[in-house]
Amino acid sequence: MMQNDIQNIDSKGPGAASDTLLVAEELRKVYGERVALRKLSFTLTAGRVLGFLGPNGAGKTTSIRILTTMLEPTSGRFFVDGISSHYPERIRRKIGVLPEGLGFPKQINAIAYLTYFGQLYGRPAADAREVGLSLLDNVGLQNRAKSPIGSYSHGMRQRLGIARALVNDPRILFLDEPTLGLDPRGQHELLMLIQRLARERNMGVILSSHLLSEIEGICDDVVIMNAGQVVAHGTVAEVVGQTQLNANQRNAVRIRVPAILIGKAQAILEAVPDVKQVTPADAAAGWLVAEFSEPADGNGHSPEESHPANSLLQALIHAGIPIRGFEAAGGRLQDVFLELTAEVIQ
Amino acid sequence: MNSELAAKGRRIGQQAEVSSRRAPVWWLIFQQEFAELWLGGRALNLLILFSVLLSITAFLLATNADLSLTPPPLAEEILVQAAITFGLFIGLIIAAETVSGERERATLEGLLLTPSSRRQIVAGKFLAALTPWPAAMLLTVPYMITLAQGDPALLPALIWGGLTGTILAAAFTALGLLVSIWSNSSRISLFVSILLYLTCLLPSQLPGQVQATPALIVVQAVDPVEAMNQFLNRVIVNSLPQVGIGSNPGAEDLTWLYLGGVVAVSALIIGLLFVVVAPRLPLEGEGAGFIRSITKRMEASR
């Protein structure tokens, strides 16, 4: 009895009985001489979706495997809903995971599969089945509950994987590349489902993905990793804002015109005062990047003065060239991502 | 509607936590594996192969018996040894594919992510892989009865054969699981398991004079298959009054040495599986690292 009490006290840490669901403190993983993860520290709060970004080999999957107790960190610790990483079995009761490339038995049907996993989490068979049915309804698979999993499309399997990850009503849901291999509609639907589940169930979601534009759309927070270390952490707006982009990016815009008119548009833009250079970014799609000179005071133009970007648009409109897209360079998560990951590689 | 269902699911979940009608993990895993093994047809295919091999052996022994070349006790001994040797193979190869196959199909991670005890996961898989063994033994009985033709050696052959066979089937199933846990690929685990199996059969292929040396007696005692062969030879054939083993007390002592060998080595393998390896069942097999290091060394030496 006393030993149990000590264990309970010992296992409670940061995040216990609060909105903070996950606290990672200086997690490090070394394989032989290779450092796969260096000092990973971040927090996750309830009801929020955290995007876990990084190029291949950045340490995302290693981090997720450590946080889901599949790997032991070489050093550091973490707490899930106040439970210390020293109690992996208790942590597994609090988390749901959709690993990258999760396999499914092909012969059995979805409801039998979910019932089985519900039972592994300690539910009696009848209750596990009922929970399974409600989860299939949640993820939009209620009409295929009795179809063999082998007959499912990739998108349906991913949905089933999410349902499986929810059988224990987790506090945190880990999703490793859930949209990989899905068509654009499938990606969009799955991301909307993830966002809805996070809000409805007030759970924390950690979403690892390469799809930066989609991540930007549904994530509240982001952790950007590169070469095993965190290079940025915060809300999407904070990360985009805090990153020091170079002068060229601060003073550049991307403009999309019809591909057939790209040469003409380039010539027109180059003739605009303050424009340093215009280069095709993606000629086939009609994207041009126009860089203009930095204002002498370094603080931008005065309000009454026309911004060079406006002049660029005016020039194109005046020439009768249709503008199909316009965005400030460096204002997207993708730009920050490319900037940060390139810096560490260099 | 969805929220209502989700809330309902959550309520059920909370009720489930206090419910006492939970099935143990090993039983759930066993049921799942058992269904996959038998309904998937794998166990049945292996038992058909087993029956074919046993039929060929029994036919050869029966024709020899008709020519009075093989007396019934010896025929029974050979048949029960063959049945055990083939039967072990079934458990071994089923077990060898169990964990490494799940790694290949990427289904192991889902299982390991549940709060289930890893020892219980392995126990469920172990018991399921062992289920073809009783069926194999049952298939052997009619062949034995036919060959025995009322010979008194039938009963000891069935009792001792059943006992040592069951011990060895458990040991070889455990061995297959050990290899499977070690390996990431079912091909590698099957290859390594078959290699170990053939190594165990090797001592019985050595010439008679070599088999009588003290060093080989030790090898026979620690090789579970050969120890089983030696033990059954003594309890089925040599112990019978008409063969007259009673005049050789040394041989009688070795009978129990061989049985001890079967039991000890089997206990060691099963203990290694459940006490040392199963509680740490890893997501990735250590065999991958081992093979990588060998490849690196080979590349470095070139």
Side-chain angles (χ1 to χ4, degrees):
Chain A
M1 179 66 186
M2 195 175 161
Q3 195 172 350
N4 281 344
D5 288 344
I6 291 167
Q7 189 174 317
N8 286 334
I9 293 163
D10 216 10
S11 67
K12 292 287 174 190
S18 78
D19 264 3
T20 307
L21 295 178
L22 176 69
V23 179
E25 293 175 353
E26 305 208 330
L27 293 172
R28 182 179 157 84
K29 182 72 184 174
V30 180
Y31 294 103
E33 290 172 4
R34 189 173 69 86
V35 181
L37 193 63
R38 306 160 201 264
K39 295 190 175 179
L40 173 70
S41 300
F42 69 94
T43 56
L44 173 72
T45 46
R48 292 181 79 83
V49 182
L50 182 142
F52 221 60
L53 309 177
N56 291 332
K60 300 190 300 289
T61 299
T62 301
S63 307
I64 287 182
R65 285 198 169 155
I66 288 173
L67 295 169
T68 56
T69 74
M70 288 293 97
L71 277 180
E72 272 188 41
T74 308
S75 64
R77 58 180 191 163
F78 64 95
F79 297 87
V80 171
D81 206 17
I83 298 168
S84 160
S85 46
H86 294 117
Y87 303 94
E89 283 193 14
R90 291 173 63 185
I91 285 180
R92 277 181 226 139
R93 292 190 179 280
K94 298 273 183 183
I95 60 171
V97 188
L98 174 63
E100 185 183 353
L102 176 70
F104 297 89
K106 291 178 182 169
Q107 307 300 330
I108 66 169
N109 62 43
I111 189 59
Y113 179 71
L114 291 182
T115 304
Y116 171 58
F117 272 94
Q119 286 182 282
L120 286 176
Y121 278 97
R123 296 186 194 281
D127 296 344
R129 187 180 163 81
E130 205 166 337
V131 170
L133 284 169
S134 78
L135 287 171
L136 287 175
D137 188 65
N138 248 224
V139 300
L141 288 176
Q142 65 276 24
N143 296 330
R144 298 293 300 270
K146 291 184 178 169
S147 306
I149 300 171
S151 69
Y152 279 25
S153 68
H154 183 56
M156 289 164 77
R157 284 184 201 183
Q158 290 299 82
R159 284 169 176 271
L160 178 62
I162 291 176
R164 190 201 62 80
L166 295 172
V167 290
N168 57 324
D169 195 18
R171 297 291 287 132
I172 304 176
L173 181 63
F174 290 88
L175 304 163
D176 195 358
E177 302 284 0
T179 53
L180 204 69
L182 295 182
D183 59 40
R185 176 175 288 278
Q187 287 175 2
H188 176 74
E189 286 176 358
L190 197 71
L191 290 168
M192 290 303 104
L193 171 68
I194 291 164
Q195 197 173 39
R196 178 169 62 78
L197 290 172
R199 302 284 184 266
E200 279 179 6
R201 293 170 171 257
N202 194 36
M203 61 183 178
V205 176
I206 292 186
L207 171 64
S208 157
S209 178
H210 285 105
L211 295 167
L212 298 171
S213 53
E214 279 82 356
I215 287 272
E216 196 168 4
I218 73 155
C219 289
D220 305 296
D221 306 296
V222 281
V223 169
I224 300 181
M225 295 189 72
N226 195 24
Q229 59 187 316
V230 175
V231 289
H233 173 216
T235 63
V236 174
E238 279 169 1
V239 169
V240 171
Q242 80 193 12
T243 309
Q244 290 298 309
L245 296 169
N246 66 40
N248 283 346
Q249 282 179 307
R250 282 202 302 272
N251 295 292
V253 291
R254 276 188 293 265
I255 301 171
R256 192 178 176 204
V257 296
I260 199 165
L261 297 172
I262 200 161
K264 187 180 172 188
Q266 187 175 358
I268 290 166
L269 294 175
E270 279 170 345
V272 175
D274 289 338
V275 170
K276 275 167 56 182
Q277 69 171 31
V278 180
T279 47
D282 181 356
W287 280 105
L288 288 163
V289 175
E291 291 172 30
F292 39 87
S293 49
E294 196 170 12
D297 60 4
N299 293 322
H301 295 252
S302 60
E304 62 273 16
E305 197 178 348
S306 173
H307 192 278
N310 295 356
S311 308
L312 296 174
L313 295 179
Q314 281 165 3
L316 289 175
I317 293 165
H318 189 70
I321 295 177
I323 299 166
R324 290 188 171 169
F326 176 84
E327 57 191 30
R332 300 176 308 171
L333 192 58
Q334 183 170 339
D335 301 307
V336 175
F337 177 83
L338 293 173
E339 179 81 6
L340 290 172
T341 53
E343 268 176 14
V344 177
I345 289 166
Q346 281 159 16
Chain B
M1 179 66 182
N2 283 351
S3 311
E4 280 172 24
L5 277 167
K8 191 178 174 188
R10 231 174 268 138
R11 273 200 308 279
I12 292 164
Q14 284 154 7
Q15 287 162 9
E17 285 199 2
V18 292
S19 170
S20 58
R21 289 178 291 126
R22 294 170 186 173
V25 169
W26 68 264
W27 175 244
L28 293 169
I29 305 276
F30 170 76
Q31 283 177 311
Q32 189 76 9
E33 294 280 325
F34 182 83
E36 214 168 285
L37 189 63
W38 288 88
L39 299 179
R42 194 150 174 251
L44 223 54
N45 287 340
L46 287 165
L47 282 172
I48 289 169
L49 183 68
F50 173 84
S51 305
V52 169
L53 289 170
L54 211 62
S55 300
I56 294 168
T57 313
F59 174 76
L60 291 174
L61 288 169
T63 48
N64 274 354
D66 284 346
L67 296 169
S68 300
L69 293 175
T70 313
L74 191 58
E76 288 159 47
E77 182 218 338
I78 293 170
L79 190 72
V80 79
Q81 285 171 348
I84 292 170
T85 311
F86 300 149
L88 301 181
F89 188 70
I90 297 178
L92 179 76
I93 62 167
I94 287 172
E97 202 268 339
T98 305
V99 177
S100 55
E102 285 225 40
R103 285 198 182 106
E104 279 183 343
R105 295 188 295 275
T107 51
L108 185 66
E109 191 166 1
L111 199 56
L112 296 182
L113 282 164
T114 65
S116 315
S117 143
R118 294 183 182 199
R119 188 179 278 143
Q120 287 205 39
I121 292 174
V122 173
K125 288 178 177 292
F126 170 79
L127 290 173
L130 205 53
T131 52
W133 169 250
M137 270 314 281
L138 279 177
L139 282 172
T140 311
V141 173
Y143 290 98
M144 294 283 292
I145 292 170
T146 311
L147 269 183
Q149 296 169 348
D151 187 84
L154 176 67
L155 196 63
L158 285 176
I159 292 172
W160 290 113
L163 179 76
T164 50
T166 303
I167 295 169
L168 281 183
F172 274 74
T173 303
L175 184 67
L177 264 165
L178 282 169
V179 175
S180 194
I181 290 170
W182 172 81
S183 170
N184 271 340
S185 142
S186 53
R187 275 189 203 168
I188 290 176
S189 55
L190 277 174
F191 174 76
V192 172
S193 300
I194 292 171
L195 204 67
L196 291 171
Y197 176 76
L198 293 176
T199 309
C200 290
L201 298 185
L202 206 62
S204 63
Q205 305 306 311
L206 295 171
Q209 309 93 295
V210 181
Q211 294 206 18
T213 60
L216 208 82
I217 288 173
V218 175
V219 172
Q220 285 171 338
V222 296
D223 171 356
V225 177
E226 188 51 25
M228 174 271 294
N229 284 338
Q230 295 294 335
F231 171 73
L232 290 181
N233 177 265
R234 281 160 174 76
V235 293
I236 299 171
V237 181
N238 290 6
S239 64
L240 294 173
Q242 66 267 35
V243 184
I245 189 72
S247 60
N248 185 353
E252 209 167 289
D253 288 342
L254 285 181
T255 305
W256 304 109
L257 171 79
Y258 288 125
L259 180 64
V262 171
V263 173
V265 174
S266 301
L268 192 72
I269 296 169
I270 296 168
L272 182 67
L273 174 68
F274 284 105
V275 179
V276 181
V277 177
R280 297 184 296 130
L281 173 63
L283 180 59
E284 284 183 15
E286 286 158 13
F290 175 74
I291 289 166
R292 266 198 302 272
S293 69
I294 288 177
T295 317
K296 268 187 187 172
R297 273 182 214 164
M298 282 168 68
E299 280 173 2
S301 65
R302 273 180 206 161

